[in-house]
Amino acid sequence: MNVVMINGSLRKESTYNIGKLLINKLISEKDTLKEFFLPRDLPKFCCGCNTCFTKSEENCPHYEYTSILTKAMDEADFLVFTTPVYVYHTSGQMKTFLDHYGYRWMVHRPSGVMFKKVAVIISTAAGGGMKSTNKDIKDSLDFWGVGKTYPYGKGVAAISWDGVSNKKKQRINLDIDSLARKVRNRISNPHPSIKVKSIFYIMRMMQKKVGFNKPDVDYWNAQGWLGKVRPWR
Ligand SMILES: Cc1cc2nc3c(=O)[nH]c(=O)nc-3n(C[C@H](O)[C@H](O)[C@H](O)COP(=O)(O)O)c2cc1C
């Protein structure tokens, strides 16, 4: 199994440690793990040039960074996104990462390989904001077509992993055991959720009937999705 971890912070503290706890429960020596850290691995803001939408993602001025991340994600079976909660939302660097993948939303050119992937989003806060933070990332993953995404948020009442109480760490460990079981089952039978399939069919109808951006319509046609082909079969 190929695992990719994308961390929305350079800090290896609560959020990262919970992410690693999950990954370590799921992988063995024969699996591969690639870890990315933001903003180190994508240190540029989306500049809004629209080139990914109107021409190709390969013309993105930051393609030297995104090409590496994209290849790793496309080759992964399991994706883990981690972010600390910053003012009730995902970290700025994670948002910047997501902005670079606007072209992969189903309204544009989703990658067919996403539909059988499993993802987990992990966020931690001192107190609150995990729900809105996880949604920031889940919106993108659902619209990219990621088959199934499990969000996990935890209020850790701390600003570092050392500061998290043992009682909380025990609780987190139990939560992550249960999450690991769900992920393992899903990876053994990967398929898109009803929500993801529904978005696909709505976007397919839109490409067929409206088709306002030629590169997107051409792409859907080339995949065969406007005919009988489906990305998850
Ligand atoms: C800029 C900034 C904004 C934050 N905003 C919130 C917040 O809205 N709600 C909250 O409960 N904690 C907030 N925190 C606390 C962190 O989310 C919390 O300590 C988290 O566990 C840090 O993750 P890390 O240890 O992996 O870096 C904020 C911290 C920073 C640095």
Side-chain angles (χ1 to χ4, degrees):
M1 168 166 82
N2 290 330
V3 182
V4 164
M5 183 186 206
I6 300 188
N7 296 291
S9 168
L10 298 175
R11 280 159 56 87
K12 292 186 170 174
E13 294 295 343
S14 303
T15 328
Y16 173 80
N17 275 291
I18 296 173
K20 282 306 285 272
L21 187 65
L22 173 70
I23 290 169
N24 290 337
K25 286 178 194 289
L26 288 165
I27 63 170
S28 62
E29 307 88 73
K30 54 185 189 333
D31 299 313
T32 63
L33 168 63
K34 285 188 184 155
E35 295 184 29
F36 296 94
F37 292 87
L38 302 170
R40 185 193 73 189
D41 295 310
L42 181 51
K44 304 279 186 184
F45 289 112
C46 167
C47 50
C49 64
N50 284 291
T51 316
C52 59
F53 298 127
T54 55
K55 288 189 185 138
S56 161
E57 67 277 15
E58 294 182 11
N59 297 101
C60 172
H62 311 139
Y63 188 62
E64 65 182 292
Y65 301 105
T66 56
S67 55
I68 295 165
L69 289 156
T70 306
K71 184 171 185 291
M73 288 193 289
D74 284 354
E75 289 172 359
D77 306 288
F78 176 42
L79 301 164
V80 178
F81 296 84
T82 75
T83 180
V85 171
Y86 287 167
V87 289
Y88 256 59
H89 289 278
T90 192
S91 67
Q93 50 269 46
M94 179 61 84
K95 176 64 167 62
T96 288
F97 161 85
L98 296 170
D99 292 345
H100 281 87
Y101 289 94
Y103 75 93
R104 280 207 164 194
W105 277 47
M106 274 191 256
V107 65
H108 299 291
R109 305 189 309 276
S111 165
V113 298
M114 286 292 153
F115 289 79
K116 287 180 134 186
K117 294 195 195 295
V118 179
V120 166
I121 302 164
I122 289 172
S123 66
T124 72
M130 295 81 74
K131 202 170 169 198
S132 42
T133 297
N134 286 342
K135 186 175 182 299
D136 289 336
I137 302 175
K138 192 166 186 295
D139 282 345
S140 275
L141 303 194
D142 287 346
F143 278 88
W144 290 359
V146 171
K148 177 74 185 174
T149 301
Y150 298 94
Y152 177 76
K154 188 74 189 170
V156 291
I159 55 167
S160 67
W161 188 230
D162 277 350
V164 181
S165 70
N166 284 335
K167 193 169 167 226
K168 271 214 162 28
K169 282 183 177 163
Q170 279 163 13
R171 182 69 246 172
I172 291 167
N173 197 37
L174 290 175
D175 292 347
I176 297 298
D177 274 341
S178 135
L179 181 58
R181 272 195 297 277
K182 287 185 202 156
V183 169
R184 202 176 291 116
N185 286 341
R186 192 72 180 207
I187 289 173
S188 68
N189 175 26
H191 59 279
S193 65
I194 290 169
K195 179 177 180 183
V196 167
K197 273 189 178 177
S198 308
I199 301 172
F200 175 87
Y201 281 115
I202 292 165
M203 297 303 155
R204 177 177 178 271
M205 196 159 63
M206 221 192 66
Q207 297 297 346
K208 270 187 129 160
K209 299 224 152 92
V210 190
F212 61 85
N213 186 28
K214 189 172 179 317
D216 297 343
V217 182
D218 290 349
Y219 176 84
W220 278 71
N221 250 323
Q223 307 305 311
W225 298 340
L226 299 183
K228 290 216 156 70
V229 181
R230 296 292 173 267
W232 54 85
R233 284 192 200 130

